Amino acid sequence: QGHFVESGGGWVQAGGSLTLSCAAASRDTFIGWYRQAPGKQRELVAGITITGSTNYADSVKGRFTISRDNAKNTLYLQMNNLKPEDTAVYHCNTLDFRKWYDWGKGTQVTVSS
């Protein structure tokens, strides 16, 4: 498997919730969740440092929560009150775009209205 292996995606109605998980091969200092919808650019939705400091895209503030378990090399994204515009393939990676690992398959999130 790749450096990051994402899981937990699925299909939900608007207003529903999902939790994504990302198993990592190492503990990187600053990692996060990206998403990309068909025909749109990849965007960063949330990031977290190894000490637990977080940041979020304006579009997901108050709805998504990023966390990490350093002992397990696992990254999480709790997504609440999902909207159709959240539909995308979600990937995890370092937040340093100069050092991105291979993107892999990601996990698909589909939100219907």
Side-chain angles (χ1 to χ4, degrees):
Q1 297 180 329
H3 190 89
F4 297 105
V5 180
E6 302 91 346
S7 62
W11 180 92
V12 296
Q13 284 283 111
S17 298
L18 286 172
T19 299
L20 307 184
S21 298
C22 172
S26 64
R27 281 183 287 276
D28 296 290
T29 58
F30 196 17
I31 55 176
W33 288 95
Y34 296 80
R35 67 186 181 188
Q36 186 168 26
K40 301 181 70 175
Q41 289 185 295
R42 179 181 291 108
E43 63 174 336
L44 176 66
V45 298
I48 187 168
T49 69
I50 198 166
T51 59
S53 297
T54 60
N55 68 289
Y56 298 91
D58 288 342
S59 60
V60 306
K61 286 181 179 177
R63 300 189 298 119
F64 291 9
T65 302
I66 188 171
S67 61
R68 65 191 292 173
D69 185 332
N70 292 326
K72 296 182 178 181
N73 284 353
T74 303
L75 178 71
Y76 303 97
L77 186 67
Q78 174 66 51
M79 305 185 294
N80 298 321
N81 192 25
L82 283 161
K83 303 176 179 180
E85 52 263 43
D86 296 318
T87 296
V89 176
Y90 285 71
H91 295 87
C92 50
N93 216 321
T94 175
L95 269 68
D96 184 352
F97 69 90
R98 301 168 299 176
K99 300 179 179 179
W100 277 338
Y101 300 94
D102 290 342
W103 289 101
K105 296 181 179 180
T107 186
Q108 176 71 48
V109 172
T110 303
V111 185
S112 61
S113 60

